[in-house]
Amino acid sequence: MSGFVRDIQAQVPLSVDDREAVLNLPFRLRRMDPGSYLVREGSLPAQCGVLVEGFAFRQKTTGEGARQIMAVCVPGDAVDLQNIFLDISDHAVQMLTQGVIADVPRAALQELVLTRPGVGRAIIQLTLVEASILREWVVNVGRRDARERIAHLLCEFAVRLEVRGLAADHGFELPMTQEQLADATGLTSVHVNRVLKGLEADGLITRQRRHVSFGDWRALQDAGDFTRTYLHVPGVDELDHAF
Amino acid sequence: MSGFVRDIQAQVPLSVDDREAVLNLPFRLRRMDPGSYLVREGSLPAQCGVLVEGFAFRQKTTGEGARQIMAVCVPGDAVDLQNIFLDISDHAVQMLTQGVIADVPRAALQELVLTRPGVGRAIIQLTLVEASILREWVVNVGRRDARERIAHLLCEFAVRLEVRGLAADHGFELPMTQEQLADATGLTSVHVNRVLKGLEADGLITRQRRHVSFGDWRALQDAGDFTRTYLHVPGVDELDHAF
DNA sequence: CGTACGTTTGATCTTTCTCAATAATGGTGG
DNA sequence: CCACCATTATTGAGAAAGATCAAACGTACG
């Protein structure tokens, strides 16, 4: 659970006791393949999964069968906070890559959250940050054009990974296919491809396989109308400094 | 605060003690005009406002000046739960109509949430339901066409109002201009107008001024690809029964 | 009664989607 | 190590949904 704790503490400091309590939470590790489900729509999970390794995403399917991705989970994220106090999952969570999940019994985590104010506060904050990201996604998909959407998504990813020390200098491994990128931005994979080539042609990014590097971080942020406020990352703007 | 309590209890039952504690929260009433701000982007509210009367909406503006509405608040909603544990508001909240706000001191509500498990659970659930609605909005704006988006929004509104006993039979007062409808669905007001006329022409709704009635509730739900699961409304499907 | 705001309508233009085909790429069994 | 298959990425041409621009029409309200 140490990744989870690090993740929590990136948001709020925990007291020694609270930290111990979280670290002592019982859990069971599970190795997951890409595409496997962590949560299914309509199910009632008895566990709250914490992503130890690998990436996952939240997803819903419309009546017509179109898919929309509403969130990408990175290592350290608690995947089921959204469900822990609700009884029916309104969306599915699926692995993006291979990875490892730590399953924590729902009841144990619930109790910790409700009885330890420090933990409660921390978990609530994590939930609220997720909601903030969702709001930004509504804006992204509702009011930005294709190029802005993609650029914005890339920026968000870069910052979130960087904060956890998962991004190499000037770039990162993007664990999504162009089709998944399309499902996250409300576009077509065909169009995503054209936009990516456009960003590359303009020198904002370079790509080799799934690896994306920022040719011009400042310009990419401008192209994506990106400001990191909504991520509620405490502390300085390290990524900006690095460029 | 009784509206707030009712709102909470629509989601989770509260113990007598917890209910008392919430009812005894200090607050100050304020009358608000349409368009006035309850929260500004970037601000740090010292109060948590509860909407006693009237409607409000959450909103963000892109760099290019386009506006996106991410949520509509109805009477009983706590407007600042999203901000109560975060220090900078990532979005603005504005009145849609005239109304009354009960300002509760942030610290008092925080304490209640953290020290009373029953209240904590209730507030967390309210927050999670809001997140669930946000996810559905991402889907709505990302993967549905204009007609579906509008129909979906109307259905959501109808159900949320109905649950609180604010919807008259077979219809309700829609407190939004077509421009605001457009900002909520990622469309243009011109196009919203055409879609509304289309829905009307097909007999799914009738309009007189801001009043919308459902000509065919079932068909409207189908047209909007609407299922109420994501609203996490406990209990039966009264609205469906009424038709 | 005039002004401001909201609605409605028409004509034209863009962005993005669709359909379709071709090229890479990675992994697999032999 | 190589041939083969299944994904994924790339490219082109035509179609469509929705945006934009512009104007007229209502209606509330000071």
Side-chain angles (χ1 to χ4, degrees):
Chain A
M1 302 306 292
S2 67
F4 185 34
V5 169
R6 186 165 3 94
D7 199 37
I8 291 177
Q9 293 202 314
Q11 204 55 231
V12 225
L14 287 179
S15 74
V16 178
D17 275 10
D18 287 341
R19 197 153 55 89
E20 277 309 299
V22 174
L23 286 170
N24 287 331
L25 237 26
F27 66 91
R28 207 167 48 81
L29 292 177
R30 255 192 313 158
R31 174 154 286 287
M32 307 291 292
D33 283 329
S36 57
Y37 283 86
L38 300 180
V39 189
R40 280 177 193 279
E41 201 170 330
S43 73
L44 153 55
Q47 320 286 328
C48 174
V50 174
L51 199 50
V52 173
E53 217 184 287
F55 295 85
F57 61 94
R58 301 183 190 281
Q59 173 238 316
K60 267 184 160 178
T61 305
T62 68
E64 274 102 51
R67 181 176 65 171
Q68 177 70 42
I69 292 176
M70 294 94 65
V72 177
C73 305
V74 305
D77 277 349
V79 155
D80 291 299
L81 285 188
Q82 301 297 321
N83 302 315
I84 193 177
F85 286 108
L86 294 176
D87 277 344
I88 290 190
S89 175
D90 51 80
H91 65 287
V93 185
Q94 231 176 328
M95 289 302 291
L96 208 46
T97 63
Q98 234 186 10
V100 176
I101 276 286
D103 279 321
V104 181
R106 216 171 111 105
L109 188 51
Q110 278 191 7
E111 201 205 310
L112 226 55
V113 168
L114 293 178
T115 58
R116 291 191 159 267
V119 177
R121 175 184 209 107
I123 295 293
I124 292 177
Q125 285 199 17
L126 291 182
T127 320
L128 292 180
V129 171
E130 278 211 54
S132 174
I133 296 179
L134 281 171
R135 282 189 289 274
E136 185 67 30
W137 279 49
V138 174
V139 176
N140 203 37
V141 162
R143 281 298 182 219
R144 293 202 256 258
D145 69 21
R147 184 184 167 98
E148 293 173 308
R149 286 184 211 181
I150 300 282
H152 192 279
L153 189 66
L154 292 177
C155 290
E156 175 178 315
F157 223 67
V159 171
R160 289 179 61 201
L161 289 180
E162 197 272 340
V163 163
R164 290 161 208 246
L166 295 174
D169 263 6
H170 298 237
F172 60 90
E173 213 61 38
L174 184 68
M176 305 171 78
T177 68
Q178 294 181 4
E179 174 126 33
Q180 289 162 338
L181 239 29
D183 287 336
T185 48
L187 299 168
T188 321
S189 64
V190 172
H191 203 58
V192 167
N193 181 273
R194 297 199 230 263
V195 170
L196 282 175
K197 304 218 85 180
L199 291 173
E200 199 168 14
D202 296 344
L204 301 194
I205 59 170
T206 23
R207 297 177 302 150
Q208 32 209 331
R209 311 229 15 61
R210 295 281 167 78
H211 190 85
V212 178
S213 322
F214 316 127
D216 187 340
W217 174 239
R218 175 58 52 196
L220 188 62
Q221 288 180 84
D222 288 348
D225 185 30
F226 179 80
T227 323
R228 55 161 51 186
T229 337
Y230 75 96
L231 292 174
H232 293 279
V233 178
V236 207
D237 240 275
E238 288 119 65
L239 189 61
D240 288 342
H241 289 171
F243 287 84
Chain B
M1 305 303 295
S2 66
F4 185 36
V5 168
R6 186 162 5 92
D7 198 39
I8 291 178
Q9 294 202 314
Q11 204 54 233
V12 223
L14 288 178
S15 73
V16 179
D17 275 9
D18 288 340
R19 199 152 54 88
E20 276 309 300
V22 173
L23 286 171
N24 286 330
L25 238 23
F27 66 91
R28 206 168 49 80
L29 292 178
R30 256 191 311 158
R31 175 153 287 286
M32 307 293 292
D33 283 327
S36 58
Y37 283 87
L38 300 180
V39 189
R40 281 180 191 275
E41 200 170 332
S43 74
L44 151 56
Q47 320 286 329
C48 175
V50 174
L51 200 50
V52 174
E53 215 183 289
F55 295 85
F57 61 95
R58 303 182 188 281
Q59 175 237 317
K60 266 185 162 179
T61 306
T62 68
E64 275 102 52
R67 182 174 66 170
Q68 176 70 43
I69 292 176
M70 294 95 65
V72 177
C73 305
V74 306
D77 277 348
V79 156
D80 290 300
L81 285 187
Q82 301 297 319
N83 303 314
I84 193 179
F85 287 106
L86 294 176
D87 277 344
I88 290 189
S89 175
D90 51 81
H91 65 285
V93 184
Q94 233 176 324
M95 290 301 291
L96 208 45
T97 63
Q98 238 188 6
V100 176
I101 276 286
D103 279 321
V104 181
R106 215 172 111 106
L109 188 50
Q110 278 191 8
E111 201 204 310
L112 226 57
V113 170
L114 294 178
T115 58
R116 290 192 160 268
V119 178
R121 175 185 209 104
I123 296 294
I124 292 178
Q125 286 198 16
L126 291 182
T127 320
L128 292 181
V129 171
E130 277 210 56
S132 174
I133 296 178
L134 281 170
R135 282 190 289 274
E136 186 67 29
W137 278 49
V138 174
V139 176
N140 204 36
V141 162
R143 283 295 183 223
R144 294 203 256 257
D145 69 22
R147 183 184 167 98
E148 292 173 310
R149 287 185 211 180
I150 300 281
H152 192 278
L153 190 66
L154 293 177
C155 290
E156 177 179 314
F157 222 67
V159 171
R160 288 180 61 202
L161 290 180
E162 198 271 340
V163 164
R164 289 161 209 246
L166 295 173
D169 261 7
H170 298 239
F172 61 91
E173 212 60 38
L174 183 67
M176 307 170 78
T177 67
Q178 293 180 6
E179 174 125 33
Q180 290 162 338
L181 239 29
D183 286 337
T185 47
L187 299 168
T188 322
S189 64
V190 172
H191 202 60
V192 167
N193 181 273
R194 299 201 230 262
V195 169
L196 282 175
K197 304 218 84 179
L199 291 173
E200 198 168 16
D202 296 344
L204 302 194
I205 59 172
T206 23
R207 297 177 301 150
Q208 33 209 331
R209 311 224 19 61
R210 294 282 167 79
H211 190 87
V212 179
S213 323
F214 316 127
D216 187 341
W217 173 240
R218 175 58 51 196
L220 187 62
Q221 288 181 85
D222 288 349
D225 185 29
F226 179 81
T227 323
R228 54 160 52 185
T229 337
Y230 75 97
L231 293 174
H232 294 279
V233 178
V236 205
D237 239 277
E238 288 118 66
L239 189 60
D240 289 343
H241 290 172
F243 287 83

